[in-house]
Amino acid sequence: GLLLCVMCRTEDKESMVRLLFQHTTTIGIRENTFKRYTLDRSVEMAETPYGRIRKKISTGYGVTRQKYEYEDLAKAAREHQVSVSQILARL
């Protein structure tokens, strides 16, 4: 047997059920509902020696996490001919 798991939004459930029956040989589908908890998110622009780089900040439930936007880091690395890890080491 094979177990196929599909995650979708509640409003897409009927479409997913229809697709599963149309495109598989199954005769039954089990449904589980999950709740997702997320941190609040914001984006700030950080002035760095390599230019402005977006910093994503997530907060909530007693935690704060910060992460620089990879595409901004990669662009700065190309422009300054250094590695992303070299840029991160200086931030």
Side-chain angles (χ1 to χ4, degrees), residues 34-89:
F34 296 95
K35 177 138 177 75
R36 181 174 184 234
Y37 297 89
T38 60
L39 300 176
D40 295 323
R41 300 171 191 175
S42 63
V43 177
E44 292 180 0
M45 292 301 290
E47 294 294 338
T48 75
Y50 300 98
R52 294 169 55 110
I53 297 178
R54 288 175 289 179
K55 181 170 40 170
K56 299 179 281 188
I57 302 166
S58 302
T59 58
Y61 300 98
V63 301
T64 298
R65 297 198 173 105
Q66 299 182 24
K67 184 177 181 180
Y68 289 98
E69 179 62 48
Y70 179 80
E71 292 303 321
D72 293 355
L73 292 169
K75 181 181 175 190
R78 285 190 301 273
E79 289 174 356
H80 292 87
Q81 298 181 343
V82 296
S83 69
V84 169
S85 59
Q86 287 173 304
I87 293 176
L88 285 171

Side-chain angles (χ1 to χ4, degrees), residues 23-42:
H23 298 287
T24 70
T25 59
T26 191
I27 59 171
I29 296 172
R30 288 189 181 98
E31 174 185 347
N32 289 307
T33 303
F34 296 95
K35 177 138 177 75
R36 181 174 184 234
Y37 297 89
T38 60
L39 300 176
D40 295 323
R41 300 171 191 175
S42 63

